[in-house]
Amino acid sequence: MKFGILVNEGPFTHQASDSAYQFAKAAIAKGHEVFRVFFYHDGVNNANKLSEPQADDRNLVELWGKLAEESDVDLVVCVAAALRRGIKDDILAPGFRISGLGQLIEAGILSDRLVVFGD
Amino acid sequence: MKFGILVNEGPFTHQASDSAYQFAKAAIAKGHEVFRVFFYHDGVNNANKLSEPQADDRNLVELWGKLAEESDVDLVVCVAAALRRGIKDDILAPGFRISGLGQLIEAGILSDRLVVFGD
Amino acid sequence: MMDEDDFNPEVVKRFLFVNRKAPYGTVYALESLETVLISAAFDQDVSVVFMDDGVFQLKKGQDTAGINMKNFSPTFRALDGYDVEKLYVEKESLEARGLTEDDLVVDVEILSTDELREIMAAQDVVISA
Amino acid sequence: MMDEDDFNPEVVKRFLFVNRKAPYGTVYALESLETVLISAAFDQDVSVVFMDDGVFQLKKGQDTAGINMKNFSPTFRALDGYDVEKLYVEKESLEARGLTEDDLVVDVEILSTDELREIMAAQDVVISA
Amino acid sequence: MSTMLHTVNKSPLERNALDSCLRLAGAGSAILLIEDGVYGALRGTSAADRIAARVRDFKIYVLGPDMAARGLSEAPLVDGIEVVDYEGFVDLVAEHEAQQAWL
Amino acid sequence: MSTMLHTVNKSPLERNALDSCLRLAGAGSAILLIEDGVYGALRGTSAADRIAARVRDFKIYVLGPDMAARGLSEAPLVDGIEVVDYEGFVDLVAEHEAQQAWL
């Protein structure tokens, strides 16, 4: 089955991005396709490559990027939400791309299920 | 009177930073001193100089910086919270400095009142 | 990757946008409205629900000058021009907040909880914030 | 600007840290605990309150392996070594969550709402998240 | 014993912050409703009785600019609640010995 | 009419998300409690009766890894609630025609 995922919150402050990541990993492990993860609202902060968690903490920015690379997941950061919050190409982590909100609607159309994680 | 302010949330997503800014401006207008604003949790995102709100929206990163310059307010971003969230010197807006969490406790000790804004 | 402008799907899905949060205290109301506006370009079957504190988004007379934020409530009136016409408000949520239809900035359909439940159950994609 | 290490104020204030939020769902519990630890270095009169869903922070047996987050609950047991000894839990909050003192990871003082109200009213600086 | 200013920024129709504040605030302290907390000042909501029952125990204020933003400038308030602006907010902080934010 | 999977990630002791979900979810739909929503699965809390009263109207699940993180692996649950892991979460999404998040 083809899943799309929406992540509304940044890393650390809310569990939403963690939950979405664990869900995506489990879906792929079960043979499903995760077609796209769309990052909206504070979710755009998941794409900040300067993020440097403590050594014993998880690094969600890297984990998402790795997942994208290994499983061909399209990580899309909403351009409008990102501009506001200062997430630009200069600090965009590998694996992410910045695009329009239409990519979220498209994900809703093209996926069998759109799964939403937020606060 | 000498005020310290704690801001727990970033710009846009929660009103906390707006409320803190309006409070600080009003306090200064009434002749009080705002000794320090400490940015913790997602509050560190207030210091991201790449932030570019729409033309008809307020720009809190700039507003804080201007307040710091005009009224000699010490804008302190928590280093631990900032590292996690990828707020580093490369993208630190003018008027802000990165320092330790001890500066929050110090603000509590040195101010007549510590006022907290969060979610 | 297809470009937004070229994208012309034959499939029409029922999209539901659920608004349960008050405006200004958080950005969700404003940014969710942006999503609704974009969705209009995709020729889908779009519905928008306001319930719980989300009904406050539609309150007439918003004046944000004193908090230096952008008043986005007039945009709800523009939805009609984007062919987003299915705006639903839960009656119970409205009443619990002491509001009536006259308090709202735009024409909506006021639904009982039972009616709203049926509409929500009939959707293909539900986007909430 | 004074450096933290040189800072040795003569004034001793009563600092209260209020924890009302559950752990892991949001970061506030973890980052607030970091604030409490730092405060210990300043020789102030520190109290920490757990109430509402904040009492869940102290629940025994936390195992975060399955969600890949850091289990910070053992740190509460380290507070004693930092001379942070005044840990208060509201009885009503505990009972509403079906918990007893035996469920908690660290020794605390269980207070009635009336007792807690007095302690909270006696503070100079209140930090909540 | 300090006199406290409590600030509440959450809607009482969505969360428990105002209820907890009303439970724990010392008699005679002041409560200021800000941001989404201003909905707690409205007459006629399902939360209004809980607030009205306590207006004699506390001095309750609501932030006018946050009311106006939400279209509530003309809305009837629970009796005994006073509207202040940001300058009034500053005065309240100055007049009380400490502030506690119920988030 | 779709069969829906509702996810709830808020504590019913702090917010109204679970109550709203229970009010609006269609009979026979599934509800999965995740993140801070898992507290809604506990027996013995002040919210437990509200959930117990509805376990026959819905199929209610709770996410095990979120329970374990919060020290609730051994905690008694409201009768009729089933524990699933992330793979079970994926199955639930796949088995239902749409997901609705109550945030």
Side-chain angles (χ1 to χ4, degrees):
Chain A
M1 199 168 258
K2 200 166 167 176
F3 289 115
I5 293 176
L6 169 61
V7 177
N8 288 340
E9 300 298 329
F12 306 110
T13 302
H14 297 88
Q15 204 186 334
S17 177
D18 287 286
S19 297
Y21 174 76
Q22 298 297 339
F23 178 88
K25 247 189 16 176
I28 292 165
K30 286 185 78 86
H32 295 292
E33 178 192 356
V34 175
F35 150 75
R36 179 176 293 161
V37 182
F38 191 86
F39 296 89
Y40 196 41
H41 306 297
D42 268 2
V44 301
N45 291 325
N46 283 287
N48 182 344
K49 74 173 175 196
L50 302 178
S51 172
E52 190 177 320
Q54 283 177 289
D56 58 350
D57 202 356
R58 81 283 188 205
N59 186 328
L60 275 164
V61 179
E62 277 182 20
L63 288 171
W64 279 119
K66 218 174 130 195
L67 191 76
E69 196 185 14
E70 292 173 355
S71 307
D72 198 25
V73 182
D74 186 21
L75 305 180
V76 184
V77 174
C78 171
V79 62
L83 262 182
R84 244 170 231 152
R85 291 170 181 83
I87 302 298
K88 295 190 177 162
D89 284 327
D90 327 24
I91 59 168
L92 195 72
F96 293 84
R97 66 187 179 94
I98 296 177
S99 186
L101 198 41
Q103 302 277 312
L104 167 61
I105 307 301
E106 195 193 82
I109 295 168
L110 297 180
S111 334
D112 297 305
R113 303 283 184 276
L114 182 74
V115 190
V116 178
F117 295 89
D119 173 45
Chain B
M1 201 170 260
K2 198 167 170 175
F3 289 115
I5 292 176
L6 170 61
V7 177
N8 288 341
E9 300 297 329
F12 305 110
T13 303
H14 297 88
Q15 203 186 334
S17 178
D18 287 285
S19 297
Y21 174 77
Q22 298 297 338
F23 178 88
K25 248 189 14 178
I28 292 165
K30 287 188 76 87
H32 295 292
E33 177 191 357
V34 175
F35 150 73
R36 177 176 297 161
V37 183
F38 191 86
F39 297 89
Y40 196 41
H41 304 299
D42 268 3
V44 300
N45 291 326
N46 283 288
N48 183 345
K49 75 174 174 196
L50 302 178
S51 172
E52 191 177 320
Q54 284 177 287
D56 58 349
D57 202 357
R58 82 282 189 207
N59 185 329
L60 275 164
V61 179
E62 277 183 21
L63 287 170
W64 279 118
K66 217 172 130 196
L67 192 76
E69 195 184 14
E70 291 173 357
S71 306
D72 199 25
V73 182
D74 185 22
L75 304 180
V76 183
V77 174
C78 172
V79 61
L83 262 182
R84 244 171 232 152
R85 292 171 180 82
I87 302 299
K88 296 188 175 165
D89 284 327
D90 327 24
I91 59 168
L92 195 73
F96 292 83
R97 67 187 178 94
I98 295 176
S99 187
L101 197 42
Q103 302 277 312
L104 167 60
I105 307 301
E106 195 192 83
I109 295 168
L110 297 181
S111 331
D112 296 307
R113 302 283 183 277
L114 182 75
V115 190
V116 178
F117 295 89
D119 173 45
Chain C
M1 201 59 45
M2 273 179 284
D3 197 49
E4 246 165 77
D5 301 324
D6 308 331
F7 187 77
N8 191 6
E10 287 166 28
V11 52
V12 172
K13 285 192 175 179
R14 288 156 298 186
F15 273 74
L16 177 69
F17 296 92
V18 181
N19 293 288
R20 293 183 52 247
K21 291 179 181 161
Y24 307 115
T26 54
V27 82
Y28 302 106
L30 165 64
E31 290 191 328
S32 296
L33 182 54
E34 293 180 356
T35 316
V36 174
L37 289 170
I38 294 281
S39 75
F42 286 79
D43 295 320
Q44 303 294 301
D45 181 358
V46 172
S47 302
V48 187
V49 163
F50 300 87
M51 58 174 291
D52 292 337
D53 279 356
V55 304
F56 284 131
Q57 295 179 25
L58 301 178
K59 178 74 181 66
K60 271 183 190 162
Q62 298 176 26
D63 176 1
T64 54
I67 61 169
N68 195 27
M69 289 168 82
K70 189 162 128 184
N71 175 4
F72 59 93
S73 64
T75 309
F76 290 113
R77 283 198 296 262
L79 285 175
D80 196 46
Y82 286 84
D83 292 322
V84 177
E85 289 157 353
K86 298 183 192 169
L87 306 184
Y88 303 114
V89 169
E90 191 203 19
K91 189 161 179 262
E92 179 173 321
S93 295
L94 210 53
E95 287 176 353
R97 283 153 189 83
L99 299 176
T100 69
E101 197 166 354
D102 289 343
D103 290 309
L104 306 185
V105 76
V106 70
D107 283 340
V108 298
E109 196 171 337
I110 313 275
L111 300 178
S112 70
T113 302
D114 288 343
E115 291 168 326
L116 181 57
R117 187 183 303 116
E118 276 199 38
I119 285 175
M120 293 177 94
Q123 304 296 324
D124 298 313
V125 179
V126 183
I127 296 183
S128 32
Chain D
M1 200 59 46
M2 275 178 282
D3 197 47
E4 246 167 74
D5 302 324
D6 308 332
F7 187 76
N8 190 6
E10 286 165 30
V11 53
V12 172
K13 284 191 175 180
R14 286 156 300 186
F15 273 73
L16 177 69
F17 296 91
V18 181
N19 293 288
R20 292 182 53 248
K21 290 179 182 160
Y24 307 115
T26 53
V27 81
Y28 302 107
L30 165 64
E31 291 191 328
S32 296
L33 182 54
E34 293 180 355
T35 317
V36 173
L37 289 170
I38 294 283
S39 76
F42 285 79
D43 295 320
Q44 303 293 301
D45 181 0
V46 173
S47 302
V48 187
V49 164
F50 300 86
M51 59 176 287
D52 292 337
D53 278 356
V55 303
F56 283 131
Q57 295 179 24
L58 302 178
K59 178 73 180 66
K60 271 184 190 162
Q62 297 175 26
D63 176 0
T64 55
I67 61 170
N68 197 26
M69 289 169 80
K70 189 162 128 184
N71 175 5
F72 59 92
S73 64
T75 309
F76 289 114
R77 282 199 295 262
L79 286 175
D80 195 48
Y82 285 84
D83 292 323
V84 176
E85 288 157 354
K86 297 184 193 169
L87 307 184
Y88 303 114
V89 169
E90 190 202 18
K91 189 160 178 266
E92 179 172 322
S93 296
L94 211 52
E95 288 176 353
R97 283 152 189 85
L99 299 176
T100 69
E101 197 167 354
D102 288 343
D103 290 309
L104 306 184
V105 75
V106 69
D107 284 339
V108 298
E109 197 170 338
I110 312 276
L111 299 178
S112 70
T113 302
D114 287 344
E115 290 167 327
L116 181 57
R117 187 182 303 115
E118 277 200 37
I119 285 174
M120 294 176 94
Q123 305 296 325
D124 298 312
V125 179
V126 183
I127 295 183
S128 32
Chain E
M1 170 136 148
S2 318
T3 63
M4 263 310 159
L5 172 68
H6 299 270
T7 55
V8 177
N9 73 342
K10 295 296 179 300
S11 163
L13 298 147
E14 193 206 0
R15 301 210 213 180
N16 67 1
L18 179 56
D19 290 315
S20 292
C21 173
L22 292 171
R23 185 169 88 244
L24 268 307
S29 40
I31 299 173
L32 172 62
L33 305 174
I34 67 169
E35 303 175 5
D36 289 346
V38 301
Y39 296 116
L42 293 183
R43 203 188 292 180
T45 75
S46 58
D49 285 349
R50 305 204 301 274
I51 293 103
R54 306 300 303 279
V55 285
R56 290 211 184 86
D57 300 327
F58 308 108
K59 188 77 197 97
I60 306 186
Y61 304 87
V62 60
L63 194 62
D66 277 330
M67 293 285 287
R70 289 160 181 82
L72 305 172
S73 289
E74 314 283 319
L77 303 186
V78 169
D79 282 333
I81 296 187
E82 190 180 319
V83 180
V84 298
D85 58 11
Y86 283 106
E87 298 214 339
F89 185 175
V90 172
D91 289 340
L92 284 171
V93 171
E95 289 160 13
H96 293 83
E97 292 172 54
Q99 178 248 15
Q100 174 165 3
W102 295 81
L103 304 174
Chain F
M1 169 136 148
S2 317
T3 63
M4 247 338 142
L5 172 68
H6 299 271
T7 55
V8 177
N9 72 344
K10 295 295 180 300
S11 164
L13 297 146
E14 193 205 0
R15 303 210 213 182
N16 67 2
L18 179 56
D19 290 315
S20 293
C21 172
L22 293 171
R23 186 170 86 242
L24 268 307
S29 40
I31 299 174
L32 172 62
L33 307 173
I34 67 170
E35 301 175 4
D36 289 346
V38 301
Y39 296 117
L42 293 182
R43 201 187 294 178
T45 76
S46 58
D49 286 349
R50 306 204 301 274
I51 293 101
R54 304 300 303 279
V55 286
R56 289 209 186 87
D57 300 329
F58 308 107
K59 187 77 198 97
I60 307 187
Y61 303 87
V62 60
L63 194 62
D66 277 331
M67 294 284 286
R70 290 158 180 83
L72 305 172
S73 288
E74 314 284 320
L77 303 187
V78 169
D79 281 334
I81 296 187
E82 190 181 319
V83 181
V84 298
D85 58 12
Y86 283 105
E87 298 213 339
F89 185 174
V90 172
D91 290 339
L92 285 171
V93 172
E95 288 159 12
H96 293 83
E97 291 173 52
Q99 178 248 17
Q100 174 165 3
W102 295 82
L103 304 174

